[in-house]
PDB file of all heavy atoms in Angstrom:
ATOM      1  N   MET V 191     -88.524-193.682 -66.031  1.00  0.00           N
ATOM      2  CA  MET V 191     -88.357-194.869 -65.215  1.00  0.00           C
ATOM      3  C   MET V 191     -89.312-194.836 -64.035  1.00  0.00           C
ATOM      4  O   MET V 191     -89.417-193.821 -63.361  1.00  0.00           O
ATOM      5  CB  MET V 191     -86.920-194.966 -64.690  1.00  0.00           C
ATOM      6  CG  MET V 191     -86.606-196.230 -63.939  1.00  0.00           C
ATOM      7  SD  MET V 191     -84.963-196.178 -63.159  1.00  0.00           S
ATOM      8  CE  MET V 191     -83.935-195.783 -64.582  1.00  0.00           C
ATOM      9  N   ARG V 192     -90.014-195.923 -63.817  1.00  0.00           N
ATOM     10  CA  ARG V 192     -90.982-196.031 -62.705  1.00  0.00           C
ATOM     11  C   ARG V 192     -90.443-197.042 -61.731  1.00  0.00           C
ATOM     12  O   ARG V 192     -90.096-198.170 -62.089  1.00  0.00           O
ATOM     13  CB  ARG V 192     -92.358-196.421 -63.222  1.00  0.00           C
ATOM     14  CG  ARG V 192     -93.423-196.493 -62.132  1.00  0.00           C
ATOM     15  CD  ARG V 192     -94.741-197.000 -62.678  1.00  0.00           C
ATOM     16  NE  ARG V 192     -95.311-196.051 -63.621  1.00  0.00           N
ATOM     17  CZ  ARG V 192     -95.388-196.280 -64.944  1.00  0.00           C
ATOM     18  NH1 ARG V 192     -94.885-197.370 -65.437  1.00  0.00           N
ATOM     19  NH2 ARG V 192     -95.958-195.388 -65.755  1.00  0.00           N
ATOM     20  N   VAL V 193     -90.371-196.697 -60.435  1.00  0.00           N
ATOM     21  CA  VAL V 193     -89.858-197.601 -59.413  1.00  0.00           C
ATOM     22  C   VAL V 193     -90.881-197.734 -58.296  1.00  0.00           C
ATOM     23  O   VAL V 193     -91.389-196.734 -57.787  1.00  0.00           O
ATOM     24  CB  VAL V 193     -88.525-197.083 -58.816  1.00  0.00           C
ATOM     25  CG1 VAL V 193     -87.990-198.083 -57.800  1.00  0.00           C
ATOM     26  CG2 VAL V 193     -87.506-196.816 -59.919  1.00  0.00           C
ATOM     27  N   ARG V 195     -91.021-199.581 -54.574  1.00  0.00           N
ATOM     28  CA  ARG V 195     -90.232-200.301 -53.577  1.00  0.00           C
ATOM     29  C   ARG V 195     -91.189-200.967 -52.608  1.00  0.00           C
ATOM     30  O   ARG V 195     -92.135-200.368 -52.113  1.00  0.00           O
ATOM     31  CB  ARG V 195     -89.295-199.342 -52.858  1.00  0.00           C
ATOM     32  CG  ARG V 195     -88.187-198.850 -53.791  1.00  0.00           C
ATOM     33  CD  ARG V 195     -87.167-197.978 -53.093  1.00  0.00           C
ATOM     34  NE  ARG V 195     -86.012-197.757 -53.947  1.00  0.00           N
ATOM     35  CZ  ARG V 195     -85.951-196.772 -54.847  1.00  0.00           C
ATOM     36  NH1 ARG V 195     -86.960-195.936 -54.988  1.00  0.00           N
ATOM     37  NH2 ARG V 195     -84.872-196.633 -55.619  1.00  0.00           N
ATOM     38  N   ARG V 234     -81.978-206.101 -55.698  1.00  0.00           N
ATOM     39  CA  ARG V 234     -80.836-205.204 -55.469  1.00  0.00           C
ATOM     40  C   ARG V 234     -81.339-203.870 -54.923  1.00  0.00           C
ATOM     41  O   ARG V 234     -82.407-203.419 -55.340  1.00  0.00           O
ATOM     42  CB  ARG V 234     -80.044-204.965 -56.765  1.00  0.00           C
ATOM     43  CG  ARG V 234     -79.172-206.160 -57.149  1.00  0.00           C
ATOM     44  CD  ARG V 234     -78.416-205.874 -58.441  1.00  0.00           C
ATOM     45  NE  ARG V 234     -77.471-204.783 -58.322  1.00  0.00           N
ATOM     46  CZ  ARG V 234     -76.174-204.924 -58.011  1.00  0.00           C
ATOM     47  NH1 ARG V 234     -75.686-206.109 -57.780  1.00  0.00           N
ATOM     48  NH2 ARG V 234     -75.383-203.871 -57.945  1.00  0.00           N
ATOM     49  N   HIS V 235     -80.558-203.266 -54.043  1.00  0.00           N
ATOM     50  CA  HIS V 235     -81.024-202.088 -53.322  1.00  0.00           C
ATOM     51  C   HIS V 235     -79.987-200.982 -53.307  1.00  0.00           C
ATOM     52  O   HIS V 235     -79.883-200.197 -52.374  1.00  0.00           O
ATOM     53  CB  HIS V 235     -81.415-202.431 -51.879  1.00  0.00           C
ATOM     54  CG  HIS V 235     -80.319-203.177 -51.134  1.00  0.00           C
ATOM     55  ND1 HIS V 235     -79.227-202.513 -50.598  1.00  0.00           N
ATOM     56  CD2 HIS V 235     -80.147-204.484 -50.913  1.00  0.00           C
ATOM     57  CE1 HIS V 235     -78.426-203.403 -50.027  1.00  0.00           C
ATOM     58  NE2 HIS V 235     -78.952-204.612 -50.219  1.00  0.00           N
ATOM     59  N   TYR V 236     -79.179-200.913 -54.372  1.00  0.00           N
ATOM     60  CA  TYR V 236     -78.073-199.977 -54.387  1.00  0.00           C
ATOM     61  C   TYR V 236     -78.416-198.748 -55.219  1.00  0.00           C
ATOM     62  O   TYR V 236     -78.795-198.873 -56.406  1.00  0.00           O
ATOM     63  CB  TYR V 236     -76.804-200.657 -54.939  1.00  0.00           C
ATOM     64  CG  TYR V 236     -76.543-202.003 -54.324  1.00  0.00           C
ATOM     65  CD1 TYR V 236     -76.600-203.169 -55.088  1.00  0.00           C
ATOM     66  CD2 TYR V 236     -76.235-202.113 -52.990  1.00  0.00           C
ATOM     67  CE1 TYR V 236     -76.381-204.414 -54.524  1.00  0.00           C
ATOM     68  CE2 TYR V 236     -76.005-203.331 -52.388  1.00  0.00           C
ATOM     69  CZ  TYR V 236     -76.052-204.480 -53.169  1.00  0.00           C
ATOM     70  OH  TYR V 236     -75.838-205.723 -52.602  1.00  0.00           O
ATOM     71  N   ASP V 237     -78.244-197.584 -54.655  1.00  0.00           N
ATOM     72  CA  ASP V 237     -78.562-196.352 -55.379  1.00  0.00           C
ATOM     73  C   ASP V 237     -77.691-196.193 -56.626  1.00  0.00           C
ATOM     74  O   ASP V 237     -78.139-195.573 -57.609  1.00  0.00           O
ATOM     75  CB  ASP V 237     -78.359-195.139 -54.438  1.00  0.00           C
ATOM     76  CG  ASP V 237     -79.383-195.086 -53.329  1.00  0.00           C
ATOM     77  OD1 ASP V 237     -80.440-195.718 -53.457  1.00  0.00           O
ATOM     78  OD2 ASP V 237     -79.100-194.428 -52.318  1.00  0.00           O
ATOM     79  N   THR V 238     -76.488-196.706 -56.596  1.00  0.00           N
ATOM     80  CA  THR V 238     -75.594-196.580 -57.752  1.00  0.00           C
ATOM     81  C   THR V 238     -76.116-197.311 -58.970  1.00  0.00           C
ATOM     82  O   THR V 238     -75.693-197.053 -60.085  1.00  0.00           O
ATOM     83  CB  THR V 238     -74.199-197.091 -57.393  1.00  0.00           C
ATOM     84  OG1 THR V 238     -74.301-198.434 -56.869  1.00  0.00           O
ATOM     85  CG2 THR V 238     -73.530-196.212 -56.367  1.00  0.00           C
ATOM     86  N   ASP V 239     -77.054-198.240 -58.787  1.00  0.00           N
ATOM     87  CA  ASP V 239     -77.637-198.968 -59.937  1.00  0.00           C
ATOM     88  C   ASP V 239     -78.462-198.045 -60.834  1.00  0.00           C
ATOM     89  O   ASP V 239     -78.761-198.420 -61.985  1.00  0.00           O
ATOM     90  CB  ASP V 239     -78.494-200.117 -59.459  1.00  0.00           C
ATOM     91  CG  ASP V 239     -77.682-201.302 -58.980  1.00  0.00           C
ATOM     92  OD1 ASP V 239     -76.432-201.229 -59.031  1.00  0.00           O
ATOM     93  OD2 ASP V 239     -78.274-202.298 -58.538  1.00  0.00           O
ATOM     94  N   GLU V 240     -78.868-196.913 -60.320  1.00  0.00           N
ATOM     95  CA  GLU V 240     -79.708-196.023 -61.148  1.00  0.00           C
ATOM     96  C   GLU V 240     -79.034-195.683 -62.452  1.00  0.00           C
ATOM     97  O   GLU V 240     -79.702-195.518 -63.474  1.00  0.00           O
ATOM     98  CB  GLU V 240     -80.015-194.740 -60.353  1.00  0.00           C
ATOM     99  CG  GLU V 240     -80.837-194.971 -59.086  1.00  0.00           C
ATOM    100  CD  GLU V 240     -82.164-195.669 -59.358  1.00  0.00           C
ATOM    101  OE1 GLU V 240     -82.798-195.339 -60.372  1.00  0.00           O
ATOM    102  OE2 GLU V 240     -82.552-196.538 -58.533  1.00  0.00           O
ATOM    103  N   ARG V 241     -77.715-195.580 -62.422  1.00  0.00           N
ATOM    104  CA  ARG V 241     -76.982-195.286 -63.654  1.00  0.00           C
ATOM    105  C   ARG V 241     -77.095-196.425 -64.660  1.00  0.00           C
ATOM    106  O   ARG V 241     -77.153-196.191 -65.876  1.00  0.00           O
ATOM    107  CB  ARG V 241     -75.489-195.026 -63.315  1.00  0.00           C
ATOM    108  CG  ARG V 241     -74.665-194.570 -64.499  1.00  0.00           C
ATOM    109  CD  ARG V 241     -75.006-193.147 -64.921  1.00  0.00           C
ATOM    110  NE  ARG V 241     -74.199-192.735 -66.072  1.00  0.00           N
ATOM    111  CZ  ARG V 241     -72.998-192.168 -65.995  1.00  0.00           C
ATOM    112  NH1 ARG V 241     -72.451-192.003 -64.766  1.00  0.00           N
ATOM    113  NH2 ARG V 241     -72.339-191.782 -67.054  1.00  0.00           N
ATOM    114  N   LEU V 242     -77.125-197.642 -64.185  1.00  0.00           N
ATOM    115  CA  LEU V 242     -77.319-198.777 -65.067  1.00  0.00           C
ATOM    116  C   LEU V 242     -78.636-198.651 -65.835  1.00  0.00           C
ATOM    117  O   LEU V 242     -78.689-198.831 -67.065  1.00  0.00           O
ATOM    118  CB  LEU V 242     -77.337-200.094 -64.273  1.00  0.00           C
ATOM    119  CG  LEU V 242     -76.016-200.631 -63.710  1.00  0.00           C
ATOM    120  CD1 LEU V 242     -76.312-201.746 -62.743  1.00  0.00           C
ATOM    121  CD2 LEU V 242     -75.097-201.095 -64.840  1.00  0.00           C
ATOM    122  N   TYR V 243     -79.690-198.365 -65.101  1.00  0.00           N
ATOM    123  CA  TYR V 243     -81.013-198.306 -65.715  1.00  0.00           C
ATOM    124  C   TYR V 243     -81.142-197.090 -66.645  1.00  0.00           C
ATOM    125  O   TYR V 243     -81.668-197.212 -67.757  1.00  0.00           O
ATOM    126  CB  TYR V 243     -82.094-198.231 -64.633  1.00  0.00           C
ATOM    127  CG  TYR V 243     -82.045-199.424 -63.673  1.00  0.00           C
ATOM    128  CD1 TYR V 243     -81.884-199.250 -62.320  1.00  0.00           C
ATOM    129  CD2 TYR V 243     -82.165-200.740 -64.162  1.00  0.00           C
ATOM    130  CE1 TYR V 243     -81.826-200.343 -61.445  1.00  0.00           C
ATOM    131  CE2 TYR V 243     -82.128-201.814 -63.326  1.00  0.00           C
ATOM    132  CZ  TYR V 243     -81.962-201.629 -61.955  1.00  0.00           C
ATOM    133  OH  TYR V 243     -81.920-202.703 -61.111  1.00  0.00           O
ATOM    134  N   SER V 244     -80.664-195.944 -66.198  1.00  0.00           N
ATOM    135  CA  SER V 244     -80.844-194.734 -67.018  1.00  0.00           C
ATOM    136  C   SER V 244     -80.001-194.826 -68.303  1.00  0.00           C
ATOM    137  O   SER V 244     -80.471-194.382 -69.361  1.00  0.00           O
ATOM    138  CB  SER V 244     -80.462-193.486 -66.217  1.00  0.00           C
ATOM    139  OG  SER V 244     -79.109-193.525 -65.825  1.00  0.00           O
ATOM    140  N   ASP V 245     -78.815-195.371 -68.232  1.00  0.00           N
ATOM    141  CA  ASP V 245     -77.993-195.484 -69.442  1.00  0.00           C
ATOM    142  C   ASP V 245     -78.621-196.448 -70.443  1.00  0.00           C
ATOM    143  O   ASP V 245     -78.599-196.213 -71.663  1.00  0.00           O
ATOM    144  CB  ASP V 245     -76.586-195.947 -69.093  1.00  0.00           C
ATOM    145  CG  ASP V 245     -75.712-194.808 -68.619  1.00  0.00           C
ATOM    146  OD1 ASP V 245     -76.251-193.696 -68.400  1.00  0.00           O
ATOM    147  OD2 ASP V 245     -74.499-195.025 -68.457  1.00  0.00           O
ATOM    148  N   PHE V 246     -79.186-197.561 -69.936  1.00  0.00           N
ATOM    149  CA  PHE V 246     -79.839-198.489 -70.847  1.00  0.00           C
ATOM    150  C   PHE V 246     -81.034-197.826 -71.524  1.00  0.00           C
ATOM    151  O   PHE V 246     -81.244-198.008 -72.735  1.00  0.00           O
ATOM    152  CB  PHE V 246     -80.317-199.723 -70.056  1.00  0.00           C
ATOM    153  CG  PHE V 246     -81.058-200.733 -70.895  1.00  0.00           C
ATOM    154  CD1 PHE V 246     -80.383-201.582 -71.764  1.00  0.00           C
ATOM    155  CD2 PHE V 246     -82.450-200.830 -70.800  1.00  0.00           C
ATOM    156  CE1 PHE V 246     -81.079-202.517 -72.533  1.00  0.00           C
ATOM    157  CE2 PHE V 246     -83.156-201.746 -71.574  1.00  0.00           C
ATOM    158  CZ  PHE V 246     -82.468-202.576 -72.422  1.00  0.00           C
ATOM    159  N   GLU V 247     -81.817-197.053 -70.768  1.00  0.00           N
ATOM    160  CA  GLU V 247     -82.950-196.369 -71.363  1.00  0.00           C
ATOM    161  C   GLU V 247     -82.488-195.385 -72.421  1.00  0.00           C
ATOM    162  O   GLU V 247     -83.104-195.295 -73.506  1.00  0.00           O
ATOM    163  CB  GLU V 247     -83.729-195.624 -70.262  1.00  0.00           C
ATOM    164  CG  GLU V 247     -84.513-196.550 -69.350  1.00  0.00           C
ATOM    165  CD  GLU V 247     -85.326-195.770 -68.338  1.00  0.00           C
ATOM    166  OE1 GLU V 247     -84.879-194.719 -67.849  1.00  0.00           O
ATOM    167  OE2 GLU V 247     -86.483-196.204 -68.035  1.00  0.00           O
ATOM    168  N   GLU V 248     -81.422-194.656 -72.150  1.00  0.00           N
ATOM    169  CA  GLU V 248     -80.926-193.692 -73.114  1.00  0.00           C
ATOM    170  C   GLU V 248     -80.409-194.343 -74.398  1.00  0.00           C
ATOM    171  O   GLU V 248     -80.610-193.855 -75.505  1.00  0.00           O
ATOM    172  CB  GLU V 248     -79.799-192.850 -72.475  1.00  0.00           C
ATOM    173  CG  GLU V 248     -80.309-191.888 -71.397  1.00  0.00           C
ATOM    174  CD  GLU V 248     -79.143-191.206 -70.677  1.00  0.00           C
ATOM    175  OE1 GLU V 248     -78.001-191.381 -71.137  1.00  0.00           O
ATOM    176  OE2 GLU V 248     -79.417-190.520 -69.689  1.00  0.00           O
ATOM    177  N   ILE V 254     -87.845-198.536 -68.513  1.00  0.00           N
ATOM    178  CA  ILE V 254     -87.790-199.535 -67.464  1.00  0.00           C
ATOM    179  C   ILE V 254     -88.775-199.205 -66.368  1.00  0.00           C
ATOM    180  O   ILE V 254     -88.800-198.091 -65.846  1.00  0.00           O
ATOM    181  CB  ILE V 254     -86.364-199.634 -66.881  1.00  0.00           C
ATOM    182  CG1 ILE V 254     -85.386-200.198 -67.928  1.00  0.00           C
ATOM    183  CG2 ILE V 254     -86.353-200.505 -65.627  1.00  0.00           C
ATOM    184  CD1 ILE V 254     -83.956-200.247 -67.460  1.00  0.00           C
ATOM    185  N   ARG V 256     -89.721-200.717 -62.616  1.00  0.00           N
ATOM    186  CA  ARG V 256     -88.996-201.546 -61.655  1.00  0.00           C
ATOM    187  C   ARG V 256     -89.737-201.671 -60.343  1.00  0.00           C
ATOM    188  O   ARG V 256     -90.217-200.696 -59.790  1.00  0.00           O
ATOM    189  CB  ARG V 256     -87.609-200.962 -61.440  1.00  0.00           C
ATOM    190  CG  ARG V 256     -86.623-201.891 -60.760  1.00  0.00           C
ATOM    191  CD  ARG V 256     -85.205-201.352 -60.910  1.00  0.00           C
ATOM    192  NE  ARG V 256     -84.843-200.408 -59.882  1.00  0.00           N
ATOM    193  CZ  ARG V 256     -84.644-199.121 -60.083  1.00  0.00           C
ATOM    194  NH1 ARG V 256     -84.807-198.591 -61.284  1.00  0.00           N
ATOM    195  NH2 ARG V 256     -84.308-198.324 -59.072  1.00  0.00           N
ATOM    196  N   GLU V 258     -88.935-203.193 -56.509  1.00  0.00           N
ATOM    197  CA  GLU V 258     -87.873-203.675 -55.635  1.00  0.00           C
ATOM    198  C   GLU V 258     -88.447-204.259 -54.358  1.00  0.00           C
ATOM    199  O   GLU V 258     -89.342-203.662 -53.745  1.00  0.00           O
ATOM    200  CB  GLU V 258     -86.911-202.519 -55.288  1.00  0.00           C
ATOM    201  CG  GLU V 258     -86.132-201.964 -56.456  1.00  0.00           C
ATOM    202  CD  GLU V 258     -85.203-200.835 -56.069  1.00  0.00           C
ATOM    203  OE1 GLU V 258     -85.270-200.386 -54.907  1.00  0.00           O
ATOM    204  OE2 GLU V 258     -84.413-200.399 -56.915  1.00  0.00           O
ATOM    205  N   TYR V 478     -76.688-205.946 -72.067  1.00  0.00           N
ATOM    206  CA  TYR V 478     -76.128-204.711 -71.580  1.00  0.00           C
ATOM    207  C   TYR V 478     -75.395-204.909 -70.266  1.00  0.00           C
ATOM    208  O   TYR V 478     -74.277-204.347 -70.071  1.00  0.00           O
ATOM    209  CB  TYR V 478     -77.273-203.679 -71.369  1.00  0.00           C
ATOM    210  CG  TYR V 478     -76.822-202.444 -70.612  1.00  0.00           C
ATOM    211  CD1 TYR V 478     -76.032-201.479 -71.181  1.00  0.00           C
ATOM    212  CD2 TYR V 478     -77.215-202.266 -69.276  1.00  0.00           C
ATOM    213  CE1 TYR V 478     -75.611-200.375 -70.477  1.00  0.00           C
ATOM    214  CE2 TYR V 478     -76.789-201.177 -68.559  1.00  0.00           C
ATOM    215  CZ  TYR V 478     -76.004-200.213 -69.163  1.00  0.00           C
ATOM    216  OH  TYR V 478     -75.598-199.110 -68.434  1.00  0.00           O
ATOM    217  N   TYR V 487     -69.701-200.099 -63.994  1.00  0.00           N
ATOM    218  CA  TYR V 487     -70.616-199.500 -63.001  1.00  0.00           C
ATOM    219  C   TYR V 487     -70.714-200.373 -61.751  1.00  0.00           C
ATOM    220  O   TYR V 487     -70.741-199.874 -60.620  1.00  0.00           O
ATOM    221  CB  TYR V 487     -72.003-199.331 -63.616  1.00  0.00           C
ATOM    222  CG  TYR V 487     -72.114-198.186 -64.583  1.00  0.00           C
ATOM    223  CD1 TYR V 487     -73.088-198.188 -65.592  1.00  0.00           C
ATOM    224  CD2 TYR V 487     -71.267-197.075 -64.508  1.00  0.00           C
ATOM    225  CE1 TYR V 487     -73.189-197.131 -66.504  1.00  0.00           C
ATOM    226  CE2 TYR V 487     -71.372-196.026 -65.401  1.00  0.00           C
ATOM    227  CZ  TYR V 487     -72.347-196.060 -66.391  1.00  0.00           C
ATOM    228  OH  TYR V 487     -72.435-195.031 -67.289  1.00  0.00           O
TER     229      TYR V 487
END
Side-chain angles (χ1 to χ4, degrees):
M191 185 188 305
R192 181 184 294 110
V193 183
R195 292 184 170 86
R234 284 180 64 93
H235 53 80
Y236 312 115
D237 292 339
T238 53
D239 284 359
E240 297 302 321
R241 186 71 181 273
L242 287 169
Y243 302 123
S244 62
D245 278 9
F246 177 77
E247 288 184 323
E248 291 174 7
I254 292 177
R256 195 166 85 250
E258 295 180 352
Y478 168 73
Y487 285 155

